[in-house]
Amino acid sequence: MADAIDTLKNILGDDAEDKIRNVMGTLSASSDSSDTGFNADSLNQVMQLKSIVESMTNNRNDPRTNLLMSLRPYMRTGRQHSIDSAVKLLGLTNLTKFLRK
């Protein structure tokens, strides 16, 4: 999960932590106020972040990931770690969909 957070910081740019804090601050401020409406920009940013994280962690429909994970139990420990790394990289390739938008 730490890799996902680092990747997300790289995607958001140099001030990624500030952007995340801003979104979280906006959400907490809107939940504390009597007005329950969200700022549309903040809501869109949160939804984009959610879909990015989900695409990185959810590779169940990817046949490449399924193949690697089915071969993993038959490999020795060193190769299993390599397969884990390859699966993470495949998850990162799903981010290109969001970078194109």
Side-chain angles (χ1 to χ4, degrees):
M1 190 65 174
D3 293 334
I5 292 172
D6 291 337
T7 304
L8 185 58
K9 287 181 183 178
N10 290 336
I11 290 170
L12 293 175
D14 295 333
D15 58 344
E17 291 180 16
D18 293 334
K19 289 178 183 177
I20 293 171
R21 283 189 191 120
N22 185 20
V23 169
M24 296 306 289
T26 303
L27 290 175
S28 65
S30 65
S31 65
D32 292 341
S33 68
S34 60
D35 180 6
T36 59
F38 288 106
N39 183 355
D41 292 333
S42 298
L43 187 58
N44 286 335
Q45 289 176 350
V46 169
M47 294 304 291
Q48 286 176 346
L49 289 174
K50 179 182 177 273
S51 59
I52 288 171
V53 171
E54 283 178 351
S55 71
M56 288 174 48
T57 58
N58 188 9
N59 292 332
R60 290 188 183 115
N61 295 330
D62 188 3
R64 300 169 298 178
T65 302
N66 292 338
L67 175 64
L68 289 172
M69 293 309 290
S70 65
L71 292 175
R72 187 180 184 281
Y74 302 105
M75 301 294 168
R76 54 178 201 244
T77 306
R79 297 241 179 195
Q80 287 180 355
H81 293 299
S82 297
I83 287 176
D84 293 339
S85 298
V87 168
K88 288 179 185 177
L89 285 173
L90 286 173
L92 291 176
T93 60
N94 291 335
L95 294 178
T96 57
K97 293 183 253 181
F98 296 101
L99 295 176
R100 291 181 190 161
K101 291 182 182 179

